[in-house]
Amino acid sequence: MFVIGNELLKLVLIDSLILLIAIIISSIYISKKSIGKEKIALYIYMIVTFSIYNIYVKPVQDYLLPIPRTYIFYQKIVAGLSIYDFFSIGLCGMLLIRYFILKRDKGIFKQSNVIMWIWRRDVYILVLSFGGFYLYMLTGNPTDYMIQLRTLRGVITGFICVYITMLILKKYDKEQDIRRLLSILFFLNFMNVLSQVISSFFLQSISWQRGGHSVVLLDQSESYMSLFLLPLIIAKNKIISKWMVFTAYVIILLQVYNYVKMLYLNAALLLILLVIIGLMGGRISRRIRNLSMLIGIAVFIFALFFINSSKGDKMSRVGQNNSLMVAFQNNPVNIIFGIGDGGLIIRQTMSEDGGERRVVDSENEKYSQYQAEYQVPYLGTLKTSGILGMVFIVYYLVLLLKLTCRVQQKYGWYYCAALGLFLIVVSVGRLMIIAEPQIPTFLCEAYIIYALLLRVELLRLPNAVA
């Protein structure tokens, strides 16, 4: 059992004080700016997003220490369930009662939008994952059923996020309300990031090293939100104030400094995607089109070289690919259905990099020979749900691509860029149903920002009805 020493305790207390100040300031802002039941929802959002599930503080992450920043996720109550687990189960039950017994919010799940598409896609992929896991287990292969069952936490979190997203998109139909909600969300994100940056200066001795320096943002999941701030820099919507754009710049630059390699790769893919859409629609000049294509390809190649230049990254991907191929060769039927989240593959040798692993996991005897992780970008679904899972990924990717083209033709390049970036990121794999609870929260928030900004544009049209 890991014991917190005096030095670590001192650093935790400093970080806790910084977090407390950020929460107090944010709570005051919410109380002044929000109205009605909106307050409760925003307080809950603040607590969940200010907390960190995957923290870049080595002893805390390695031993799952329940410090204030991680308390709701790491503090176990009963049967391995955390405070967050009990809260999310209770909230999910309330929403189900609200929908099926009280008969409220009827029709919200009939809305056809990107979030509903991704939710359905991830449900299909999850079902395949359980089927593949069962087949893999029947043939005597090493499995961990707790890891597989942990995905049910993702089902609950994903359902809550989708439900609340649908409610917001249904309720907020006036520019004044939209402006108020977006300003609160941006302020909370800014305070969250600011508290992490300030704490990182005190935690440098125990923080992760990335790109040759200590990280400045402590939350690994935060990178999913920062990716969706990119289009705000080029936005021309009057509802976006200068301080919002400044916030977007700051968070993105911090993520670049934090060595988020996928940021470069996704940005390059976005440039290439926009050029392809331009070629299909013929809406941009040849000079801009050619220049963007060259920049996109150059950044893409640089990103690939940048990622591959890390020996650890390269060895990790090669080793994991080899281990997965061995599992498929020994169980050909699992090529179709995958081996599930809880299906284990041979752990890489000591000469290879095992990926980002907690010490508590490495100390488990089972994991001295096997691992459940398959950290290969854009191919994670191949391990969990096989070829059929990848078919769902590609199918919904095509649907999103068609929608992105239509958005560009009707509403312009900003909304096309925002939706295109969403398309690229969700193509990584199952993100709406994942054990890490903050990722679906950030995904839904990003889509809410995009959808409400587009709604403001529509409200300003001459024939629009507020």
Side-chain angles (χ1 to χ4, degrees):
M1 181 178 179
F2 184 84
V3 179
I4 299 180
N6 291 333
E7 185 62 29
L8 179 57
L9 180 60
K10 178 183 175 182
L11 295 175
V12 169
L13 289 174
I14 293 173
D15 173 58
S16 302
L17 178 61
I18 294 169
L19 176 63
L20 178 62
I21 293 172
I23 289 176
I24 292 173
I25 295 173
S26 300
S27 298
I28 294 172
Y29 191 87
I30 291 173
S31 66
K32 288 185 176 181
K33 295 290 185 179
S34 60
I35 57 175
K37 295 180 181 179
E38 184 182 80
K39 280 186 171 64
I40 300 174
L42 287 168
Y43 283 133
I44 294 172
Y45 166 82
M46 176 186 68
I47 295 300
V48 172
T49 55
F50 279 42
S51 300
I52 300 178
Y53 184 81
N54 277 329
I55 189 169
Y56 283 134
V57 179
K58 196 158 180 53
V60 177
Q61 178 76 352
D62 279 345
Y63 296 97
L64 301 178
L65 300 179
I67 67 172
R69 276 198 192 269
T70 62
Y71 195 78
I72 66 171
F73 299 124
Y74 290 176
Q75 183 59 50
K76 305 302 180 184
I77 307 299
V78 178
L81 296 176
S82 66
I83 293 173
Y84 173 81
D85 292 330
F86 278 101
F87 169 77
S88 59
I89 292 171
L91 181 56
C92 181
M94 289 172 59
L95 293 177
L96 289 172
I97 292 172
R98 177 186 174 95
Y99 188 80
F100 288 106
I101 298 178
L102 300 180
K103 304 295 183 181
R104 296 182 182 178
D105 311 321
K106 283 296 181 181
I108 62 168
F109 291 112
K110 294 181 181 179
Q111 297 181 57
S112 179
N113 56 44
V114 172
I115 287 295
M116 286 303 302
W117 287 3
I118 301 305
W119 167 253
R120 293 191 191 105
R121 182 202 71 174
D122 287 1
V123 168
Y124 300 148
I125 293 174
L126 181 67
V127 172
L128 288 172
S129 169
F130 272 89
F133 173 81
Y134 182 69
L135 291 173
Y136 195 63
M137 181 177 64
L138 279 182
T139 50
N141 292 289
T143 56
D144 189 325
Y145 70 91
M146 286 304 297
I147 292 178
Q148 188 66 35
L149 291 177
R150 203 177 297 159
T151 58
L152 296 178
R153 171 203 279 169
V155 174
I156 294 172
T157 299
F159 172 77
I160 293 171
C161 290
V162 171
Y163 198 112
I164 293 175
T165 300
M166 297 302 106
L167 285 180
I168 290 174
L169 296 181
K170 182 180 179 182
K171 178 181 177 181
Y172 288 84
D173 55 1
K174 293 182 173 59
E175 183 173 330
Q176 181 180 358
D177 294 334
I178 293 173
R179 186 188 296 271
R180 186 186 69 255
L181 178 62
L182 293 185
S183 67
I184 296 173
L185 290 177
F186 270 81
F187 183 82
L188 294 179
N189 275 284
F190 175 76
M191 289 304 302
N192 185 12
V193 168
L194 181 63
S195 72
Q196 291 182 44
V197 172
I198 295 173
S199 288
S200 70
F201 287 105
F202 297 97
L203 301 174
Q204 286 186 20
S205 60
I206 56 174
S207 296
W208 285 21
Q209 297 286 318
R210 304 198 71 176
H213 56 75
S214 298
V215 296
V216 292
L217 293 178
L218 305 177
D219 189 355
Q220 185 175 351
S221 304
E222 190 77 26
S223 59
Y224 281 88
M225 186 60 202
S226 68
L227 288 169
F228 299 107
L229 296 174
L230 269 172
L232 289 173
I233 294 176
I234 59 172
K236 294 183 179 180
N237 194 312
K238 293 180 181 179
I239 200 173
I240 303 175
S241 58
K242 291 182 179 179
W243 73 267
M244 290 183 181
V245 178
F246 173 76
T247 300
Y249 268 115
V250 169
I251 295 177
I252 291 168
L253 290 175
L254 288 173
Q255 288 293 352
V256 171
Y257 185 75
N258 237 39
Y259 198 67
V260 179
K261 292 166 282 189
M262 289 302 294
L263 182 65
Y264 309 113
L265 195 59
N266 287 330
L269 289 173
L270 176 63
L271 278 173
I272 295 172
L273 176 65
L274 294 180
V275 172
I276 292 173
I277 292 173
L279 287 170
M280 294 169 63
R283 298 216 171 211
I284 55 177
S285 68
R286 181 179 298 177
R287 180 180 298 178
I288 296 176
R289 187 170 59 210
N290 294 341
L291 180 63
S292 298
M293 178 65 85
L294 287 174
I295 293 173
I297 293 174
V299 174
F300 183 76
I301 293 173
F302 168 76
L304 287 178
F305 175 79
F306 186 55
I307 294 172
N308 282 315
S309 64
S310 168
K311 184 179 179 180
D313 285 337
K314 185 175 181 179
M315 295 299 289
S316 176
R317 287 194 303 278
V318 171
Q320 290 179 66
N321 284 332
N322 290 341
S323 298
L324 183 61
M325 290 304 106
V326 169
F328 282 161
Q329 287 171 7
N330 295 335
N331 307 273
V333 70
N334 285 102
I335 298 175
I336 300 174
F337 299 100
I339 63 175
D341 295 75
L344 303 182
I345 56 178
I346 298 173
R347 190 183 176 196
Q348 300 161 62
T349 65
M350 294 302 292
S351 63
E352 295 170 328
D353 178 13
E356 298 170 351
R357 299 175 59 82
R358 298 185 177 106
V359 171
V360 291
D361 294 333
S362 300
E363 290 176 347
N364 187 315
E365 186 176 349
K366 178 188 287 187
Y367 291 102
S368 63
Q369 299 179 12
Y370 303 103
Q371 66 180 60
E373 300 92 345
Y374 183 68
Q375 300 169 337
V376 179
Y378 299 107
L379 292 177
T381 304
L382 188 62
K383 186 256 182 186
T384 60
S385 306
I387 293 176
L388 283 180
M390 294 301 295
V391 168
F392 279 110
I393 292 288
V394 173
Y395 173 74
Y396 280 93
L397 179 64
V398 172
L399 288 182
L400 284 169
L401 181 59
K402 289 181 178 179
L403 179 60
T404 304
C405 291
R406 292 201 300 270
V407 166
Q408 190 281 322
Q409 294 170 3
K410 293 182 68 175
Y411 307 114
W413 285 105
Y414 159 60
Y415 298 102
C416 173
L419 192 58
L421 192 56
F422 198 95
L423 175 156
I424 291 167
V425 174
V426 297
S427 298
V428 170
R430 202 182 69 228
L431 293 179
M432 284 299 298
I433 301 177
I434 189 170
E436 188 171 339
Q438 289 171 301
I439 290 178
T441 303
F442 285 133
L443 288 176
C444 287
E445 180 187 356
Y447 184 74
I448 287 169
I449 292 172
Y450 159 80
L452 292 183
L453 286 175
L454 180 55
R455 182 167 294 176
V456 170
E457 291 286 345
L458 297 178
L459 288 172
R460 287 176 175 173
L461 293 176
N463 297 327
V465 179

